[in-house]
Amino acid sequence: MRILLVEDDAEVARFVKKGLQEAGHTVEHAPNGRDGLFLAASEQFDLLMLDRMLPGGVDGVRLVETLRSQGTRTPVLFLSALSAVDERVKGLKAGGDDYLVKPFAFAELLARVEALGRRPSVDAPATRLKVADLELDLLSRTVTRAGKRIDVQPREFRLLEHLMRHAGQVVTRTMLLEKVWDYHFDPQTNVIDVHVSRLRQKLDKGFDRPLIHTVRNAGYMIRAEP
Amino acid sequence: MRRKRAPGARAQPPVPFTPPRLLRSAGFRFALLFAAMFASAAVALVAVLWWATAGALVRQTDAAIRADATALTERWRDGYRAGLIEAIEERLAVDVANESIYLLVEAGTGARLAGNLDRWPTDPPADDAWFRTRVLHDGVVARARLHRVNLPGLRLLIGRDETERQQLEQLLTEGVVWASGAVILFALLGAWLMRQALQRRMRPAFATIAAIAGGDLSSRVVLSGRGDEFDRLAVTMNTMLDRIGTLMAGVRGVSDAIAHDLRTPIARARAKLEEALASTPETSTPEGGALRAAVEQGIADLDNISRIFQALLRIAEAEAGARRAAFATFDLPQVLSDAAEIYEATAEARGLNLTTDLPERLELVGDRDLLLQAVANLLDNAIKFTPPGGTVQLAARADPPWVEVSVTDDGPGLAPEDRARAGERFFRADQSRGTPGSGLGLSLVRAVAHLHAGDLRLEDAKPERNPPGLRAVLRLPAA
């Protein structure tokens, strides 16, 4: 993916850029809002990563508003030291697609970047999701593995659906809370882990090959190959 | 006792303007003062009127009688008894109005010598020179003002019929009675109007103050445009509120700046540690392994700092009422069953039974995420402190005008002296020191309760049992 990073803190920018490059992405960096706007308007990117507060008169929100008013649909991820709920709402309302509060784990950032860059297309909604021998039917709301029916609760179904829609990508615990449970909160303990391990037990019971993998210090991933 | 806030009103004033009880109302007291002044003025007016009419008549009569007495005494000196009799008869003959009364009798026998009274009135005390009595005058019983003059060997009575004056007095009395009725009526009406006017003029100020107290700092007092004392008070209040608003914005700016200035270095440090971790080989020497562990611990500690910081900011935000912007109507049982569902697996993993007792539907206006956070904190606490095999119950019920959400556990409970402090930031009861946690969980719950104009109560779940368990009740105003 070709990513534009607009971030005034050189240290954080260098770290993010390096990490993303190691993950196989191309990163352009602009240290202020003016340069960022110029780059975003003149070149083609798959993702914009913006600091919420930027020097140079154009902050992250202004930048997105300007781009959106010009018809740019590129996904936008906000990076911000401001966590107040209305800051988040402001950022998303202006046209942002996701909002990550600093400090963040790089794995969290990467997972969100990949989720935004490869969002499922809205034109042809899939009715069946498939990973290896695991199949999920969105119409009949059933799960089968190697043709054998697996009983899951509605929430487990949504959890599995989210993991399968992002098959091969890391999905973090916070992302699961936000997307599967639809809440922004700090659960204090690893409540999500318990849910995932329950689901994992149901899916992998009686099969040699596990499908849901724990990614150390990051989250979970569903994929066919071990 | 704390005054309860009226439920259901949030962006609007939480305390609706209700006039104080009648006797304590300043408006009523002003009105009473007004009524008293009005009545005093009326009394003064009546007194002057009385003195000028009925009083004047009395004085006039007395003066006429006195003049008559002097003249008749003169006549007695000139012509003795015959002269006096002649003078009396002359006077009676010219008295067309038939108002005068005369009677001359012998001092010893009481024999009538002249005059238009048949006999000497019997009832007055003998020695009064001036008196009033009823006499039979001209065939009619009439009230008369009389003056007795003693002459050697004679007794003379001079008087005037007062029927006319009496009629006037009666007329005046009737007038005064009717007028006092009107005075009382107008005084009460005036008092009521004054009280109403006062209340009407105070209402905008009350509404604004209540809104401010409820956290809506944008509210300002509406001016009437009359430029009177109330408007001047309102202008002063608005100036004060503008100033407070500026200060609050300043404080907010400061906390934004702190958030930025603290998070950025933490973000940098975390980035450095992550890089260091990435460059350390996975499986190497024991020193390498120790280094990795130390770096991982460093990252975990930084994440913990960020979480505490985040919780503090959330508490501050909630307490400042800044999150009211995110208020919306939502279905409480849905959020609560989600919370139970999120924690149910964790409770089960710890050998606990998490049960719910929720109504079908219960609408609430508030911040859904914050409310879930509050319930999550309560559930997290309950799960942490309940020994395996115990039960944690999440319940909700409508208790108009409130909605009560409670989390009950069979844990060790909380000592009464710790309960009051449990909502303080960073407070941790001795028994909880060994468990993980920042001591901010209940502070956040309490702040969330206050943001929603509700409160948090901690009590023994089963007071008769030991351990009693803890019940945390989050009371929120119903939608």
Side-chain angles (χ1 to χ4, degrees):
Chain A
M1 261 194 277
R2 194 168 142 74
I3 299 168
L4 173 63
L5 170 67
V6 189
E7 164 67 64
D8 59 319
D9 189 280
E11 194 66 42
V12 173
R14 194 189 53 76
F15 166 68
V16 170
K17 189 171 174 179
K18 186 170 161 236
L20 288 174
Q21 280 169 344
E22 276 168 13
H25 302 291
T26 321
V27 182
E28 289 291 326
H29 173 232
N32 61 53
R34 208 179 302 270
D35 293 357
L37 185 58
F38 176 75
L39 271 173
S42 54
E43 291 179 36
Q44 195 64 43
F45 291 98
D46 301 310
L47 179 75
L48 306 179
M49 213 184 287
L50 310 175
D51 191 354
R52 172 75 181 69
M53 296 210 289
L54 285 169
V58 183
D59 74 350
V61 168
R62 278 272 301 280
L63 209 161
V64 175
E65 278 171 350
T66 313
L67 287 178
R68 291 290 185 249
S69 70
Q70 289 167 355
T72 312
R73 299 257 58 88
T74 318
V76 168
L77 169 64
F78 276 112
L79 289 181
S80 176
L82 300 180
S83 66
V85 77
D86 51 340
E87 293 297 339
R88 176 192 199 96
V89 169
K90 241 186 260 170
L92 298 186
K93 223 178 232 168
D97 298 274
D98 205 349
Y99 194 102
L100 189 59
V101 176
K102 285 184 205 171
F104 48 80
F106 184 77
E108 181 81 40
L109 175 76
L110 187 63
R112 283 173 191 262
V113 163
E114 308 217 309
L116 279 179
R118 270 192 276 159
R119 277 189 298 183
S121 79
V122 271
D123 311 329
T127 58
R128 293 174 79 78
L129 300 171
K130 201 167 181 314
V131 173
D133 53 355
L134 180 69
E135 273 188 53
L136 182 126
D137 191 318
L138 289 166
L139 295 178
S140 63
R141 319 253 342 141
T142 51
V143 180
T144 51
R145 184 158 184 196
K148 206 181 116 198
R149 174 84 179 262
I150 297 171
D151 278 329
V152 292
Q153 289 168 0
R155 186 74 67 181
E156 289 170 337
F157 187 89
R158 286 185 59 187
L159 182 58
L160 185 58
E161 179 190 336
H162 191 82
L163 286 170
M164 288 177 82
R165 279 191 191 280
H166 296 93
Q169 292 175 26
V170 175
V171 179
T172 66
R173 296 172 179 87
T174 350
M175 285 166 80
L176 285 176
L177 258 185
E178 286 176 18
K179 300 291 190 288
V180 177
W181 275 272
D182 190 25
Y183 289 101
H184 291 98
F185 83 112
D186 174 7
Q188 322 241 5
T189 37
N190 289 334
V191 283
I192 299 307
D193 293 353
V194 191
H195 285 273
V196 175
S197 67
R198 262 195 191 180
L199 179 63
R200 183 185 273 151
Q201 264 175 20
K202 284 188 183 180
L203 296 184
D204 295 344
K205 207 166 131 194
F207 294 91
D208 297 335
R209 203 169 64 172
L211 290 177
I212 299 179
H213 304 268
T214 306
V215 183
R216 204 170 130 78
N217 291 330
Y220 298 98
M221 186 198 285
I222 198 162
R223 63 163 189 261
E225 62 278 2
Chain B
M1 219 182 92
R2 266 188 54 216
R3 232 183 119 183
K4 276 178 202 164
R5 290 215 235 176
R10 265 155 300 258
Q12 285 88 33
V15 189
F17 172 57
T18 45
R21 279 223 297 279
L22 197 62
L23 289 176
R24 298 181 60 185
S25 144
F28 180 73
R29 276 185 276 123
F30 287 141
L32 215 61
L33 194 69
F34 164 80
M37 298 274 285
F38 190 75
S40 313
V43 166
L45 182 70
V46 166
V48 168
L49 214 63
W50 193 278
W51 187 81
T53 54
L57 267 180
V58 169
R59 289 191 296 280
Q60 229 175 347
T61 308
D62 284 6
I65 292 175
R66 197 170 285 122
D68 232 2
T70 315
L72 287 174
T73 314
E74 288 296 312
R75 285 296 289 268
W76 174 78
R77 261 187 217 131
D78 292 347
Y80 297 108
R81 179 184 295 202
L84 188 53
I85 293 171
E86 195 187 329
I88 289 171
E89 260 147 28
E90 267 168 32
R91 269 158 216 245
L92 284 174
V94 298
D95 179 24
V96 264
N98 197 17
E99 278 184 328
S100 308
I101 294 168
Y102 297 101
L103 181 64
L104 183 67
V105 294
E106 288 242 33
T109 60
R112 179 174 173 271
L113 298 173
N116 54 359
L117 281 190
D118 294 335
R119 56 174 187 279
W120 195 267
T122 47
D123 50 325
D127 46 352
D128 274 11
W130 291 88
F131 57 96
R132 279 196 170 83
T133 188
R134 285 178 182 284
V135 293
L136 190 70
H137 170 228
D138 214 14
V140 190
V141 177
R143 259 191 97 75
R145 174 73 169 155
L146 297 169
H147 180 44
R148 187 168 61 194
V149 182
N150 288 332
L151 297 168
L154 292 170
R155 283 201 294 170
L156 177 62
L157 200 61
I158 306 162
R160 292 287 184 276
D161 188 330
E162 282 191 317
T163 312
E164 208 180 311
R165 187 189 69 93
Q166 230 184 331
Q167 279 168 351
L168 178 73
E169 256 175 33
Q170 201 182 337
L171 218 63
L172 274 174
T173 310
E174 272 173 31
V176 166
V177 167
W178 283 108
S180 6
V183 164
I184 291 171
L185 203 71
F186 276 105
L188 288 180
L189 186 73
W192 182 75
L193 283 176
M194 258 179 82
R195 183 161 186 250
Q196 289 302 105
L198 207 60
Q199 263 169 29
R200 200 175 49 245
R201 296 304 312 277
M202 308 265 293
R203 194 163 287 133
F206 259 102
T208 302
I209 293 169
I212 299 283
D216 173 17
L217 277 179
S218 64
S219 181
R220 293 291 180 271
V221 185
V222 183
L223 299 187
S224 70
R226 268 172 251 177
D228 56 7
E229 293 88 335
F230 288 101
D231 270 6
R232 282 173 57 194
L233 180 68
V235 168
T236 316
M237 269 183 66
N238 287 348
T239 313
M240 178 186 81
L241 291 175
D242 288 343
R243 175 103 184 98
I244 292 176
T246 317
L247 288 174
M248 287 293 286
V251 168
R252 212 162 164 189
V254 167
S255 67
D256 278 357
I258 292 173
H260 184 264
D261 291 352
L262 201 60
R263 280 205 175 109
T264 308
I266 293 177
R268 273 187 220 145
R270 203 189 186 287
K272 281 256 167 47
L273 288 177
E274 272 204 71
E275 276 184 319
L277 197 62
S279 60
T280 316
E282 276 286 350
T283 46
S284 60
T285 55
E287 301 89 70
L291 187 64
R292 272 190 78 85
V295 171
E296 275 174 2
Q297 188 54 48
I299 291 176
D301 287 348
L302 278 182
D303 285 349
N304 210 24
I305 290 172
S306 306
R307 277 184 51 198
I308 292 175
F309 187 53
Q310 171 77 8
L312 276 174
L313 280 178
R314 271 191 160 194
I315 292 171
E317 248 187 293
E319 278 179 351
R323 288 191 68 133
R324 269 198 195 87
F327 269 27
T329 308
F330 63 88
D331 189 32
L332 181 68
Q334 185 56 54
V335 173
L336 295 182
S337 63
D338 283 347
E341 196 234 68
I342 292 173
Y343 280 90
E344 187 249 309
T346 310
E348 200 187 282
R350 282 189 47 112
L352 299 173
N353 194 12
L354 177 60
T355 62
T356 54
D357 178 13
L358 305 172
E360 266 303 286
R361 273 187 80 79
L362 204 54
E363 297 238 299
L364 205 67
V365 178
D367 186 320
R368 182 174 161 274
D369 283 328
L370 265 190
L371 202 84
L372 183 92
Q373 179 78 65
V375 173
N377 288 5
L378 292 177
L379 285 175
D380 187 60
N381 267 352
I383 290 172
K384 240 187 259 172
F385 292 113
T386 305
T391 302
V392 173
Q393 193 196 40
L394 172 64
R397 66 189 184 93
D399 178 17
W402 300 98
V403 169
E404 286 194 346
V405 177
S406 63
V407 174
T408 311
D409 64 47
D410 339 307
L414 202 57
E417 62 270 23
D418 287 343
R419 260 177 233 163
R421 298 198 57 206
E424 284 174 22
R425 273 165 231 191
F426 300 112
F427 172 77
R428 306 193 65 194
D430 290 338
Q431 65 210 36
S432 70
R433 299 237 175 245
T435 52
S438 58
L440 287 172
L442 281 180
S443 309
L444 184 63
V445 178
R446 187 150 281 169
V448 170
H450 289 169
L451 175 72
H452 289 80
D455 54 23
L456 171 71
R457 197 171 70 231
L458 300 172
E459 59 195 26
D460 284 340
K462 293 191 184 85
E464 71 283 355
R465 265 188 34 192
N466 188 31
L470 185 70
R471 177 183 288 125
V473 183
L474 191 58
R475 196 169 61 152
L476 306 165

